[in-house]
Amino acid sequence: MPIRNTHRVSELIRHQGRRYPVAVVEARVREAADVAECAAVQLRTPGGSTRSVAFVRTVSGRALTVESLSGLPVDDVVTVSCLPLDSAGAVDYASLRQAALVDAPRLAELEAGWRESHGLGESVVLYGESYDYGTPLARRAYAPAAPAPTEVGAEPISGAARAVPAYIQGPPLLPVPGDVRTLPEALYRAARSGAGRGCHFVDAAGGEVFLSYAELLERAGRVSAFLRADGVVPGDRILLLGSGHEEFVVALWGALLAGAVAVPVTPSADYRERRAEAESLRRIWTTAHEPRVLASPALVEAVRPLLEGASLLSLAEAERCAREPVVAEVDPESPAVILFTSG
């Protein structure tokens, strides 16, 4: 649950002759099913009476009604996609009091402004930092009016700057039309961006090679179809060995499009001479539960004597696959890459 600094016009909510602290009302509303966030305000009607309004953001995105919050001290419920924040990262209760008086179309416009005003509109300011190169980090609660520390103990901090807000914690960001949920979706979107956009590689001779995103998707799609025909299912691990950057990128995206978990490994220049690198490759392969190996043709033969019993697949053969690519169903929460590094 997000933590927020709050600056309320009133600290009390009046409901049916009783008074409730705003924090208590908000906490009780957040206990209701499907409620992710709540901010409560009190309004005075033209007739002089008061009514309490709970602004809620739901997990499912569906709108709530007063009836769904029966028994709670609120007169009205307004479901929003996000809550407005002020420049210090606190809920902007003044904006909510104004929003409680508008109609639905105008509220939608206001919500769009709330999202754009702070970028990460669902985040919270936690702390600021002052530091410079080579000195210990000075960490403290963020206070806009207070200057940043200029020394640690008796030692001055060279080049110390005023702390600035850091938006680093909060609930998941709200979906935006056109956003992607998985890496394969990111490549599909990039491929639609135009022929002039893509990847630039530097080959062994120092020359530059350009591969558009559309071409990358086409080549990776053939690799993906080849892997699926070989029995790869989403979640399977595939160890990748590419003799060049371009080949590696094609192999990586081919594995991702197949729904597999990529296990990239930097190949050795000579496994026979560099025994430590050969042993490292064996350890990685066994630790990853002996997955299929997708490699450049020369590397297939180089690692064959090192990985006894391994299923070795040639990237060149994969790129010649004529099968129709199959779009794998990928869980956005599933792992995409497993990295083995030395540090």
Side-chain angles (χ1 to χ4, degrees):
M1 181 178 297
I3 304 169
R4 297 187 188 277
N5 299 317
T6 55
H7 304 289
R8 305 179 178 91
V9 175
S10 172
E11 293 292 336
L12 295 175
I13 292 291
R14 295 173 178 82
H15 181 73
Q16 296 182 353
R18 298 186 61 182
R19 297 182 179 184
Y20 301 86
V22 171
V24 171
V25 174
E26 293 174 345
R28 289 179 59 183
V29 172
R30 285 196 296 266
E31 292 174 357
D34 201 27
V35 174
E37 287 190 288
C38 172
V41 297
Q42 181 172 278
L43 300 177
R44 186 170 297 277
T45 66
S49 61
T50 61
R51 65 187 181 98
S52 56
V53 182
F55 287 84
V56 298
R57 182 178 67 83
T58 59
V59 176
S60 65
R62 69 181 180 88
L64 297 183
T65 63
V66 176
E67 289 72 22
S68 59
L69 299 179
S70 61
L72 298 179
V74 294
D75 299 308
D76 294 303
V77 177
V78 179
T79 303
V80 294
S81 60
C82 63
L83 294 174
L85 303 182
D86 61 22
S87 59
V91 173
D92 189 344
Y93 284 85
S95 294
L96 289 179
R97 291 168 67 85
Q98 296 174 3
L101 304 174
V102 302
D103 56 17
R106 176 57 182 152
L107 178 60
E109 295 178 10
L110 290 175
E111 289 178 273
W114 296 346
R115 284 193 295 271
E116 296 172 359
S117 61
H118 292 91
L120 301 180
E122 290 299 312
S123 300
V124 57
V125 176
L126 289 187
Y127 62 85
E129 298 174 350
S130 292
Y131 60 92
D132 84 330
Y133 303 104
T135 58
L137 180 68
R139 179 168 168 172
R140 64 189 179 85
Y142 175 68
T150 57
E151 60 182 34
V152 176
E155 296 295 325
I157 300 178
S158 174
R162 178 174 177 169
V164 295
Y167 294 90
I168 61 175
Q169 181 176 324
L173 295 178
L174 296 168
V176 175
D179 270 2
V180 297
R181 299 166 58 250
T182 65
L183 287 173
E185 289 178 7
L187 182 56
Y188 294 137
R189 183 176 67 177
R192 297 191 297 267
S193 63
R197 303 188 64 184
C199 306
H200 294 262
F201 302 97
V202 177
D203 59 24
E208 184 176 296
V209 177
F210 174 74
L211 179 65
S212 71
Y213 290 129
E215 293 171 324
L216 174 58
L217 176 60
E218 181 183 357
R219 292 174 61 179
R222 290 197 294 267
V223 174
S224 170
F226 177 84
L227 294 175
R228 295 299 295 270
D230 194 65
V232 171
V233 297
D236 284 356
R237 298 175 182 181
I238 299 179
L239 191 146
L240 304 178
L241 288 168
S243 58
H245 296 158
E246 183 180 355
E247 288 186 337
F248 168 75
V249 168
V250 171
L252 173 65
W253 282 103
L256 295 176
L257 291 179
V261 181
V263 183
V265 179
T266 301
S268 171
D270 191 336
Y271 283 112
R272 289 176 297 180
E273 294 293 329
R274 302 181 180 184
R275 305 308 301 171
E277 294 177 3
E279 181 58 33
S280 176
L281 175 62
R282 275 194 294 264
R283 285 198 303 270
I284 292 174
W285 180 64
T286 55
T287 302
H289 302 157
E290 301 183 357
R292 292 174 176 82
V293 178
L294 178 62
S296 301
L299 289 170
V300 169
E301 298 308 317
V303 303
R304 190 180 298 279
L306 305 177
L307 306 179
E308 184 178 352
S311 174
L312 300 175
L313 308 176
S314 168
L315 178 59
E317 182 181 353
E319 284 206 64
R320 291 194 296 269
C321 181
R323 290 175 176 268
E324 188 71 20
V326 178
V327 179
E329 291 292 333
V330 179
D331 181 358
E333 300 297 325
S334 64
V337 179
I338 298 177
L339 293 177
F340 287 84
T341 74
S342 60

